[in-house]
Amino acid sequence: MTQRKVAVFGLDGITFDLLQPWLDEGRLPNLARLLAEGASGRLRSTIPPVSASAWPSFATGTNPGQHSLIDFTYPAQDSYEIRVSNGLTVGVPAVWQMAGAAGKQVGVVSLPMTYPPRPINGFMLCSFLTPSADSDYTYPAELKDELTDACGPFPLRMSEKGRGVDPAIFVRACKQLEIDRARSVQYLLRQKPWDLFIYVMETTDNLQHEIWHLVDETHPMHDPATAARVLPDILDYYETVDRLLGEMVALVPEETLVIVLSDHGFGPFHKFFHINNWLAANGWLVFKRTPVSLLKRAAFRLGLTPINALRWLTTLGLSDMRKNVKRGRGGKNLRRFFLSFNDVDWSRTRAFSVGNFGQVYLNVKGQRPEGAVEPAEYEAVRDAIIAQAKALRDPEDGSQVVPVVYRREEIFHGISEARLPDLVLHTDRAKYVSFGHADFGSSRIIEPSTGQTGHHHMEGVVGLRGPGVLPGVKLEGASLLDPTPTILHYLGLPVPEYMDGRVLTDAFSDEFNAANPISHSKVGPGGGSAGDAIYTDAEEELVMQKLRDLGYVA
């Protein structure tokens, strides 16, 4: 087993719910072959099912309470500033660090939440949340120029061509980005030594946010005419991704364990749930009484919000100004005009939300600078928020918006638990997506979605193929935390006892399992940083622009 290799190909957000008919029709032959010749099944994501938390959970085999990442943004522990997560925020070692320390050569390409690159026993290329092409996004540093000379520049930024205007153009742009990236990936597979290789195709997620209403006839925003026009491009995109996957797998030695997976599933959503507006309506979030804040609140109630500003500028055809609002250029200046966290009276605020998936943080005395919740009333405040959240109904049809609320300790545990939200309001994922806007993007509590029509669901995809894997096995109960223990075991390395995931022994034959018993190590979960590592102001603004473009922050 010490000579074995593992190649992991991530397809961000893919789901059987969308792909199965195309798999059955033979449109995706390479993915279909991988799944049929190995063990496969649905893969349960993390709570919340967001890439910023899910991919680190895959990489570390741990829950967010260990590795610390919960979303792309989070509130600083020593202030109410919004910080941007990055690779330095991860609190426990990743699989490539453990494999590299054991002498294995590793390669990691385009895996979210790895920027900035750090020294490893091999090579790394970061893409998502890399501030710009001028940034140092490879290890070793000279790999950047090597790839540019051999393959052309590696595309870092998701394309915005046609987004929100013509979905066919946007789909084609996503396809071209994957084609351009694949040249570098195939070069690395051919030219560099590796025992563990990881590559993630990111645009599958990006695309599905935008086109779900076109592939889902039951979606309230479904437009049959546009769907008929764009569907050939959508199919061409997925067929191209499948072709590129096949070309990459063909470059992998035959004795390699190949794993294909997604970090979460995908599906429709119809409406936004603006949590901070709801918290304010219930008295848990309170605004300042200064003349400026009172004026901004009055304008907010009348509809002067960033989302409405986007709509007005779009209607007027002022596209350049629209981009400035959407991308938050001069965000600090925008907050002078729009209601924001700058207008919150923290000394009277007991709870607030930051993030995309229902995260609620309590403003506890002794934990935050202007804490308003006495430690003795902590549980009572949580109980009250839980009760009100579960009672919330959509005024349009009476649907329950938040069927489940998790207390922090119910889903998170580990060395980083104290950094994570006190509650997670888990909405009905098929209908509602919750947003904790630091700039109060809308004045409503529940409203129809703007732009995006698909969002993250809990069940992704996993498939394993290689020596020892049983062909045709259907995996049951697999978790995103399981692939890393499986990878370590397959490479002949011990699995740390602190990991929450398990080795997927049911994917392998009895003979393989008998010949290769699992070994564990008692090494602790330290080794990451889990600090409030921040970009420079200029870098953070560039990263926030990317997150706004993708719809992950207001």
Side-chain angles (χ1 to χ4, degrees), residues 123 146 150-151 182-194 197 247-248 250-253:
F123 57 89
E146 179 183 344
C151 311
R183 285 195 292 270
S184 293
V185 178
Q186 293 176 17
Y187 174 88
L188 292 169
L189 284 167
R190 289 192 188 99
Q191 301 297 327
K192 302 296 181 183
W194 54 268
F197 183 87
E247 292 172 357
M248 294 174 199
L251 297 174
V252 169

Side-chain angles (χ1 to χ4, degrees), residues 381-399:
V381 174
R382 286 209 301 181
D383 289 343
I385 294 174
I386 291 170
Q388 286 291 89
K390 289 184 176 180
L392 179 64
R393 296 295 186 272
D394 187 334
E396 183 175 315
D397 60 8
S399 297

Side-chain angles (χ1 to χ4, degrees), residues 441-459:
S442 170
S443 58
R444 301 173 67 180
I445 292 176
I446 299 171
E447 68 176 345
S449 64
T450 300
Q452 297 183 350
T453 58
H455 222 281
H456 305 176
H457 287 208
M458 285 298 299
E459 290 189 334

Side-chain angles (χ1 to χ4, degrees), residues 83 137 212 214 229 232 321-322 347 416 435 449:
R83 298 279 171 82
Y137 58 84
W212 200 269
L214 300 177
R229 177 175 66 86
M321 291 180 65
R322 179 183 185 275
S347 66
S416 303
F435 275 101
S449 64

Side-chain angles (χ1 to χ4, degrees), residues 184-214:
S184 293
V185 178
Q186 293 176 17
Y187 174 88
L188 292 169
L189 284 167
R190 289 192 188 99
Q191 301 297 327
K192 302 296 181 183
W194 54 268
D195 299 299
L196 170 61
F197 183 87
I198 302 172
Y199 171 56
V200 175
M201 297 187 187
E202 297 174 298
T203 63
T204 41
D205 177 287
N206 195 28
L207 182 81
Q208 289 167 178
H209 278 299
E210 301 296 316
I211 57 89
W212 200 269
H213 65 295
L214 300 177

Side-chain angles (χ1 to χ4, degrees), residues 53 111 121 145 183 215 228 234 281 298 315 344 366 378 417 422 463:
S53 181
L111 179 66
N121 187 30
D145 290 337
R183 285 195 292 270
V215 296
I234 295 173
T315 300
V344 172
Y378 175 79
E417 179 181 338
D422 300 273

Side-chain angles (χ1 to χ4, degrees), residues 87-88 182 198 212 239 264 340 354 356 374 396 421 436 439 464 482 496:
L88 296 180
I198 302 172
W212 200 269
E239 289 167 353
H264 52 73
S340 74
V354 174
N356 303 293
E374 295 286 352
E396 183 175 315
D439 52 1
L464 299 84
D482 299 336

